[in-house]
Amino acid sequence: MDQSAKVITRFAPSPSGDLHLGHAYSAKLIYDFACAHDGDFILRIEDIDHLRCKVEYEQSIFDDLSWLGLKWSTPVRRQSEHFSDYKDALDKLSDKGLLYPCFCTRKDIKNEINESTRAPHTLPKLGPEGIIYPGICRNLSDDERANKIKEGIPHALRFDMTKALRLVDGPLYWTDLKTGKQLANPKLLGDVVLARKDFPASYHLSVVIDDHIQNITHVIRGQDLYYASHFHRLLQYLLGLKKVTYDHHPLLADKEGNRLAKRDKSLTLKSLKEDGLRPENLDALINEYL
Ligand code: GLU
């Protein structure tokens, strides 16, 4: 990052449920960082998944963040309005030969993994986010791909990690706000999906493109996305996008160590407000879950 650049941070929730205490913690951290550096705070709505996202959740995001006292510039970028930006990026990656159609269902992947566990030398590879895609569709021939497409079998687009890494000239680094220079290890995620079967983009793709377009300098988000940052750095490199500084904050959890989730209705900001919580008492409550 250019050291003189103005700090721009973003909070990027998906309107697929009500925000909970953990989102409030994250949003406040991100907001306070921007304020402390005389920077800008951007709110982005990550709604590419039309099956899960709802307009009413978007409205409650606005209400909850206003209740927290946060201010953001408008218009707010909604990812669902920018599929052409994601398509341009997919086209660039495709021109480099880095995408392949994947026709697998979850069941196909599960079956393949069950098969492979019978032969000990081909145990499925475990990444930080679970089992790495075993590569079933990577080696299909052009004819096989064309036939499946002709038959109307739906497909996602997967990223060919091995091919992509061959295009990287020397080690790739990213900057962590707390610990400094980090060696990127995107291989940990395997061949991730960059365009889903049900809509032509994915979290990994859209977030990287948007951070570039919105001139984000600092991506502050949960620890659960630590490994995503390794991969995002690779996408930035391949697509010639600006670098950002990353920070990964701890995730709030209950006493049993379970992460807070949108389904835990009692800790949504909506229900906490209804129970009479005041924004000034929020930090004390957050601390109980940190
Ligand atoms: N939309 C993502 C979420 O709600 C945000 C991820 C990010 O900050 O990169 O978890």
Side-chain angles (χ1 to χ4, degrees), residues 100-101 103 137-138 140-149:
Y100 63 87
F103 304 89
C137 288
R138 192 189 307 126
L140 292 179
S141 67
D142 287 348
D143 279 352
E144 284 170 313
R145 284 176 181 158
N147 284 337
K148 282 178 187 286
I149 289 172

Side-chain angles (χ1 to χ4, degrees), residues 161-224:
M161 184 63 77
T162 310
K163 263 193 189 172
L165 290 175
R166 280 194 217 117
L167 300 183
V168 182
D169 194 12
L172 198 57
Y173 295 98
W174 56 277
T175 306
D176 182 288
L177 190 64
K178 295 192 193 85
T179 53
K181 195 169 165 183
Q182 301 289 320
L183 182 66
N185 191 359
K187 215 176 167 178
L188 293 168
L189 295 189
D191 289 2
V192 297
V193 168
L194 290 190
R196 298 223 332 217
K197 282 182 186 170
D198 37 7
F199 50 88
S202 73
Y203 159 69
H204 290 298
L205 182 77
S206 55
V207 84
V208 164
I209 301 303
D210 288 355
D211 287 339
H212 171 80
I213 289 176
Q214 297 192 290
N215 295 311
I216 303 299
T217 59
H218 291 74
V219 169
I220 301 171
R221 58 188 175 195
Q223 188 64 32
D224 53 333

